[in-house]
Amino acid sequence: MIVVVKTGFLVLVLILAAVGILPIHIDSAQAQENTVNYTLTDLKYRDFSHKDLHGTSFAGAVMWGANFQGANMQQTIITKGDFFQANLSDVDFTDTFADRVTFDQTDLTNAIFTDAMLSSSTFGNAVVTGADFSGAIVDRYQVKLMCKNASGINPITGVATRDSLGCPPQL
Protein backbone atom coordinates (compact mmCIF):
# COMPACT_ATOMS: atom_id res chain seq x y z
CA MET A 1 0.00 0.00 0.00
CA ILE A 2 1.39 3.39 -0.99
CA VAL A 3 0.41 6.45 1.03
CA VAL A 4 0.26 9.76 -0.79
CA VAL A 5 0.50 12.87 1.36
CA LYS A 6 -0.44 16.22 -0.05
CA THR A 7 2.19 18.93 0.40
CA GLY A 8 -0.31 21.27 2.06
CA PHE A 9 -1.17 18.67 4.70
CA LEU A 10 2.50 18.10 5.53
CA VAL A 11 3.09 21.85 5.91
CA LEU A 12 0.06 22.10 8.23
CA VAL A 13 1.39 19.27 10.43
CA LEU A 14 4.80 20.96 10.65
CA ILE A 15 3.26 24.32 11.57
CA LEU A 16 1.07 22.73 14.29
CA ALA A 17 4.10 20.94 15.69
CA ALA A 18 6.18 24.13 15.66
CA VAL A 19 3.64 26.12 17.66
CA GLY A 20 3.15 23.27 20.14
CA ILE A 21 -0.41 22.32 19.25
CA LEU A 22 0.65 18.96 17.84
CA PRO A 23 3.27 17.25 20.03
CA ILE A 24 6.05 15.39 18.25
CA HIS A 25 8.13 12.79 20.13
CA ILE A 26 11.89 13.47 20.14
CA ASP A 27 13.92 10.27 20.55
CA SER A 28 17.00 10.00 22.75
CA ALA A 29 19.43 10.39 19.83
CA GLN A 30 17.97 13.80 19.01
CA ALA A 31 17.83 14.77 22.67
CA GLN A 32 21.61 14.36 22.94
CA GLU A 33 21.99 17.59 21.01
CA ASN A 34 21.63 19.33 24.38
CA THR A 35 24.77 17.56 25.71
CA VAL A 36 27.71 19.83 26.54
CA ASN A 37 30.39 19.78 23.86
CA TYR A 38 33.98 20.01 25.10
CA THR A 39 35.58 19.59 21.66
CA LEU A 40 38.98 21.34 21.40
CA THR A 41 38.78 22.81 24.92
CA ASP A 42 41.38 23.25 27.64
CA LEU A 43 40.11 21.29 30.65
CA LYS A 44 43.37 20.96 32.59
CA TYR A 45 42.91 20.13 36.28
CA ARG A 46 39.09 20.42 36.10
CA ASP A 47 36.90 18.31 38.38
CA PHE A 48 34.35 16.12 36.59
CA SER A 49 34.19 13.51 39.36
CA HIS A 50 30.94 11.51 39.49
CA LYS A 51 29.38 13.54 36.63
CA ASP A 52 27.09 12.03 33.98
CA LEU A 53 28.99 12.82 30.77
CA HIS A 54 27.25 10.14 28.70
CA GLY A 55 27.44 10.96 24.98
CA THR A 56 29.59 14.07 25.44
CA SER A 57 32.35 15.03 22.99
CA PHE A 58 35.87 15.62 24.28
CA ALA A 59 37.49 15.40 20.83
CA GLY A 60 40.84 17.17 20.86
CA ALA A 61 40.38 18.31 24.47
CA VAL A 62 43.37 18.71 26.79
CA MET A 63 42.51 17.18 30.18
CA TRP A 64 45.90 16.99 31.94
CA GLY A 65 45.51 16.20 35.62
CA ALA A 66 41.70 16.41 35.45
CA ASN A 67 39.61 14.39 37.89
CA PHE A 68 36.97 12.17 36.27
CA GLN A 69 36.73 9.66 39.13
CA GLY A 70 33.44 7.74 38.97
CA ALA A 71 32.15 9.65 35.93
CA ASN A 72 29.80 8.09 33.39
CA MET A 73 31.54 8.53 30.04
CA GLN A 74 29.64 5.89 28.09
CA GLN A 75 29.42 6.54 24.35
CA THR A 76 31.67 9.61 24.50
CA ILE A 77 33.85 10.81 21.63
CA ILE A 78 37.41 11.54 22.72
CA THR A 79 39.38 11.39 19.45
CA LYS A 80 42.82 13.02 19.85
CA GLY A 81 42.06 13.89 23.50
CA ASP A 82 44.83 14.05 26.10
CA PHE A 83 44.25 12.69 29.63
CA PHE A 84 47.91 12.91 30.73
CA GLN A 85 48.09 12.22 34.50
CA ALA A 86 44.28 12.36 34.86
CA ASN A 87 42.29 10.45 37.48
CA LEU A 88 40.06 8.08 35.52
CA SER A 89 39.45 5.59 38.31
CA ASP A 90 35.99 4.00 38.33
CA VAL A 91 35.07 5.69 35.02
CA ASP A 92 32.72 3.84 32.65
CA PHE A 93 33.93 4.24 29.04
CA THR A 94 31.58 1.59 27.60
CA ASP A 95 31.08 2.02 23.83
CA THR A 96 33.37 5.07 23.76
CA PHE A 97 35.24 6.18 20.62
CA ALA A 98 38.73 7.11 21.86
CA ASP A 99 40.94 6.95 18.77
CA ARG A 100 44.45 8.46 19.16
CA VAL A 101 43.93 9.42 22.81
CA THR A 102 46.73 9.82 25.37
CA PHE A 103 46.05 7.90 28.58
CA ASP A 104 49.71 8.13 29.67
CA GLN A 105 50.31 8.12 33.43
CA THR A 106 46.58 8.03 34.17
CA ASP A 107 44.90 6.16 37.00
CA LEU A 108 42.53 3.69 35.31
CA THR A 109 41.83 1.68 38.47
CA ASN A 110 38.50 -0.16 38.03
CA ALA A 111 37.72 1.70 34.77
CA ILE A 112 35.42 -0.02 32.28
CA PHE A 113 36.33 0.09 28.57
CA THR A 114 33.86 -2.57 27.38
CA ASP A 115 33.44 -2.45 23.58
CA ALA A 116 35.41 0.82 23.33
CA MET A 117 37.41 1.84 20.26
CA LEU A 118 40.92 2.67 21.54
CA SER A 119 42.98 2.35 18.36
CA SER A 120 46.25 4.30 18.23
CA SER A 121 45.74 5.37 21.86
CA THR A 122 48.63 5.22 24.34
CA PHE A 123 48.66 3.93 27.92
CA GLY A 124 52.30 4.56 28.97
CA ASN A 125 52.73 3.97 32.71
CA ALA A 126 48.96 3.96 33.28
CA VAL A 127 47.60 2.15 36.34
CA VAL A 128 45.22 -0.51 34.97
CA THR A 129 44.45 -2.45 38.16
CA GLY A 130 40.90 -3.79 37.97
CA ALA A 131 40.23 -2.20 34.55
CA ASP A 132 38.02 -4.13 32.12
CA PHE A 133 38.91 -3.95 28.41
CA SER A 134 36.49 -6.70 27.27
CA GLY A 135 35.65 -6.31 23.59
CA ALA A 136 37.73 -3.13 23.28
CA ILE A 137 39.95 -2.51 20.28
CA VAL A 138 43.44 -1.75 21.59
CA ASP A 139 46.75 -1.79 19.67
CA ARG A 140 48.79 -4.94 20.36
CA TYR A 141 51.84 -3.00 21.48
CA GLN A 142 49.78 -1.09 24.06
CA VAL A 143 48.27 -4.36 25.31
CA LYS A 144 51.78 -5.79 25.69
CA LEU A 145 52.83 -2.77 27.76
CA MET A 146 49.72 -2.87 29.96
CA CYS A 147 50.07 -6.63 30.54
CA LYS A 148 53.37 -6.00 32.36
CA ASN A 149 51.48 -4.44 35.29
CA ALA A 150 47.88 -5.56 34.74
CA SER A 151 46.20 -7.07 37.77
CA GLY A 152 42.96 -7.17 39.69
CA ILE A 153 39.32 -7.83 38.95
CA ASN A 154 36.83 -5.13 38.03
CA PRO A 155 34.32 -4.83 40.92
CA ILE A 156 31.40 -4.01 38.59
CA THR A 157 31.89 -6.50 35.73
CA GLY A 158 33.75 -9.21 37.67
CA VAL A 159 36.27 -9.54 34.82
CA ALA A 160 40.00 -9.85 35.49
CA THR A 161 42.07 -7.13 33.85
CA ARG A 162 44.60 -9.61 32.46
CA ASP A 163 41.80 -11.72 30.92
CA SER A 164 40.12 -8.68 29.35
CA LEU A 165 43.42 -7.66 27.72
CA GLY A 166 44.24 -11.21 26.62
CA CYS A 167 47.51 -11.19 28.57
CA PRO A 168 49.56 -14.40 28.64
CA PRO A 169 49.59 -16.31 31.94
CA GLN A 170 52.09 -15.00 34.49
CA LEU A 171 54.98 -17.28 35.32
Side-chain angles (χ1 to χ4, degrees):
M1 175 198 229
I2 298 174
V3 177
V4 178
V5 178
K6 299 282 185 181
T7 305
F9 176 74
L10 184 57
V11 170
L12 177 63
V13 168
L14 292 174
I15 290 171
L16 292 175
V19 296
I21 295 172
L22 180 66
I24 293 182
H25 174 72
I26 298 175
D27 66 16
S28 61
Q30 291 171 324
Q32 281 188 343
E33 291 178 9
N34 295 329
T35 303
V36 177
N37 185 341
Y38 292 107
T39 299
L40 300 173
T41 56
D42 183 347
L43 303 171
K44 292 178 197 156
Y45 309 105
R46 294 268 305 266
D47 186 5
F48 292 96
S49 58
H50 305 286
K51 301 283 185 198
D52 184 3
L53 302 167
H54 177 146
T56 302
S57 176
F58 290 92
V62 178
M63 299 161 281
W64 301 345
N67 183 10
F68 287 87
Q69 182 179 13
N72 176 6
M73 295 185 71
Q74 294 179 8
Q75 300 176 342
T76 55
I77 299 171
I78 316 172
T79 301
K80 293 186 178 181
D82 190 347
F83 284 112
F84 181 73
Q85 295 183 336
N87 181 357
L88 303 173
S89 61
D90 302 306
V91 174
D92 188 347
F93 288 105
T94 301
D95 295 321
T96 289
F97 185 75
D99 177 62
R100 296 170 284 168
V101 173
T102 300
F103 291 100
D104 296 347
Q105 298 182 31
T106 58
D107 182 355
L108 298 171
T109 302
N110 299 328
I112 301 172
F113 286 95
T114 305
D115 299 324
M117 169 66 79
L118 304 167
S119 60
S120 299
S121 293
T122 60
F123 296 86
N125 296 315
V127 176
V128 294
T129 304
D132 183 354
F133 291 88
S134 298
I137 297 174
V138 185
D139 293 349
R140 287 184 189 183
Y141 180 71
Q142 295 301 314
V143 169
K144 182 178 177 180
L145 292 177
M146 286 190 284
C147 283
K148 290 180 182 179
N149 298 314
S151 64
I153 296 173
N154 187 280
I156 304 296
T157 65
V159 175
T161 301
R162 295 186 63 75
D163 292 343
S164 72
L165 287 167
C167 300
Q170 290 181 313
L171 300 176

